[in-house]
Amino acid sequence: MPKPTIDDVARLAGVSPKTVSRVVNREPNVRAATRERVQQAIAELSYHPNQFARNLASHRSRLIALIYDDPSAYEVPSSGYILRLQQGTLKACRDASYELLIHPCRYNSRQVVDELRTLIAQVRPAGIILAAPLSNMPKIVASIEASGTPLVRLSPGSEIPGHRVVATNDREISAEMTRYLASLGHHRIAFIKGHRQHKAVGLRYLGYLDGLRGAGLERADELVVAGDNSVGSGERCAEQLLQLPHPPTAIFAANDDMAAGVLRVAARNEVKVPEELSVAGCDDISLARQIHPMLTTIRQPLVTMAERAAWSIIDGAVDDGPGGGMEIVAGTIQYRESTGPAPD
Amino acid sequence: MPKPTIDDVARLAGVSPKTVSRVVNREPNVRAATRERVQQAIAELSYHPNQFARNLASHRSRLIALIYDDPSAYEVPSSGYILRLQQGTLKACRDASYELLIHPCRYNSRQVVDELRTLIAQVRPAGIILAAPLSNMPKIVASIEASGTPLVRLSPGSEIPGHRVVATNDREISAEMTRYLASLGHHRIAFIKGHRQHKAVGLRYLGYLDGLRGAGLERADELVVAGDNSVGSGERCAEQLLQLPHPPTAIFAANDDMAAGVLRVAARNEVKVPEELSVAGCDDISLARQIHPMLTTIRQPLVTMAERAAWSIIDGAVDDGPGGGMEIVAGTIQYRESTGPAPD
DNA sequence: GTCAATACTGACAGCGCTGTCAGCCAGCGG
DNA sequence: CCGCTGGCTGACAGCGCTGTCAGTATTGAC
């Protein structure tokens, strides 16, 4: 038996195909009774609109392209990141009966721009979601914009006026983490700054300062040290902090890798975590749950961010103009084993 | 300027649209000179066929659906696995100008079958690639087959006659790993079996036996222990093996998690790896490169497997009938730090 | 009650491509 | 010379849907 078409539905419901189309597309100006009848007919025939015909007739695809840096280019794939992006986008796609096209590409490859141009020409996606770090590369952003395809950048912490961006509240949530540590009785909370070029990581430091203020604590210069986002730098910073005459009882690192370095040093020096030292990180990388003790950290709301990005394409809210361009999705603190009450 | 259509190309080349279509689709029965002229016109206008119109007119989509078990359902996502599947499929898709649709689903969810039915009805993919473990679930396989959609199962080690399967040479490569350990001078090579329901893992045991035979070694009963694929079981098995009066100098585990358990026990007991004990695993999960020492393991050729699967859909080779249904892609051994010459 | 404004509905013409089939031409056997 | 095959090409009719616009029903204001 052949698949039912819009005409079959129309005949059964006693309306025109166009009216069926209106119902399917949730367009206004259909009487409730009519809508009802059409919906019954759709259910009865278990009709599914043919996406190809829809796309062809409407000149719009229902395809969202998710573009991210190719993880296979690296030794250790940051795969949790990508899977969560995919997951969020997929969620929105399913609900809106859109489809998802994924396109990893190497940011440093010469032909990236050509590659994207071809992609756009071939599939004409309804919109593009560009994940960090690609979302911060002017060349790539410019080439997509030039094509006129709606673009949403997923960028933790950076913003360009007039562009649609979904970002997270790095600063606020870092402040919250700091206040949480303070609420556990910690008075000397150290902070390990990240790489100075990493914008989001910079915001976290500001959040730390906010948090100290909020908890009524003084900022102590010797408790702020600078790493470079690597595990190794976390170790060095931790050593420096623990050798202080009056060492901190809690260390908040601007990313999980550095926090893992702190844990390593603590283990080496037989400093018990969390009994003697609380450690908190940022990012909730998969390692955070695999190490012992499991790391208290800030989870970036990647799934939600990607979902919001997809919806802004689906809703056509990409060209919202200045002001409405930025959307913030709040991160959450994952309370785990590495933080606890301050020692007496 | 509007995108060029097939008619524009036809006019420029002085042929009919249908002939352009023939050239684009690599159909036979076009004179070489004509083909040439058309190709020039295509290049000149930088014409890209409209996929939606193609799909609509030809009743075939150029979409491959990759279906896999939803990793977000678990605490620790086996994300390397999925990314590599995606990577392989994408490669084929790009080369054939197909598109990739990804669809994670939870194998144990009640509505999986309905969900897949809807997916198929909505997008009518050209074919479906079903990844393990879904590929071994009769209900899911049956529901896809019932729809008539070409199906390729990605299944390390299991086969159903008459079905298209892309598999790997688990048994042979495990034998090779065993021979490699023997070649390093190890005479007492232990094996940790995996979960008895995991078919691929069973084949690895047979490969181990083959390898022993190939190296002229005797099989010793006390050197074969059974785990259940978990890290914890690997630890238990390792303890058992190391307490033997005449312990093994090499341990080959049927998966990386168990091998990681072995490494953990070695570290606890201050057994130096690889100086005193060589350890090998299977799967090359991302953890294998993150632990110390980095694990020698068998890398499943997932990327290639997925690529082959996609090509067999693209080439329409799915219904090759019995015999041609199974394709084997060879795995490779990743030689890393956890294996070395046997102690004197 | 009238009239304009508004809500609803349907006819129709494509979207850009491909399947079908008919037509043309060259080559060849009779 | 005819008829016939087989390689090559094009005319044409949709694929199943949506945008446009015109037409009809209904509402509200007076």
Side-chain angles (χ1 to χ4, degrees), chain A residues 192 225 227-228 230-243 251 257-266 268-269:
Chain A
I192 303 183
V225 291
D228 63 5
S230 71
V231 177
S233 75
E235 296 186 65
R236 282 191 297 280
C237 292
E239 275 159 7
Q240 184 181 335
L241 289 167
L242 293 180
Q243 278 167 10
I251 299 179
D257 277 328
M258 296 192 294
V262 174
L263 287 180
R264 235 186 240 191
V265 168
R268 268 210 297 273
N269 296 358

Side-chain angles (χ1 to χ4, degrees), chain B residues 191-239:
Chain B
F191 187 82
I192 303 182
K193 292 161 97 168
H195 198 284
R196 63 173 60 202
Q197 295 205 329
H198 192 320
K199 190 142 186 198
V201 169
L203 290 175
R204 290 170 191 169
Y205 175 59
L206 295 178
Y208 161 74
L209 295 179
D210 293 347
L212 285 185
R213 245 192 315 280
L217 294 175
E218 287 291 310
R219 182 201 151 191
D221 274 344
E222 80 270 20
L223 292 184
V224 176
V225 292
D228 63 5
N229 289 9
S230 70
V231 177
S233 76
E235 295 186 67
R236 284 190 296 281
C237 292
E239 275 158 6

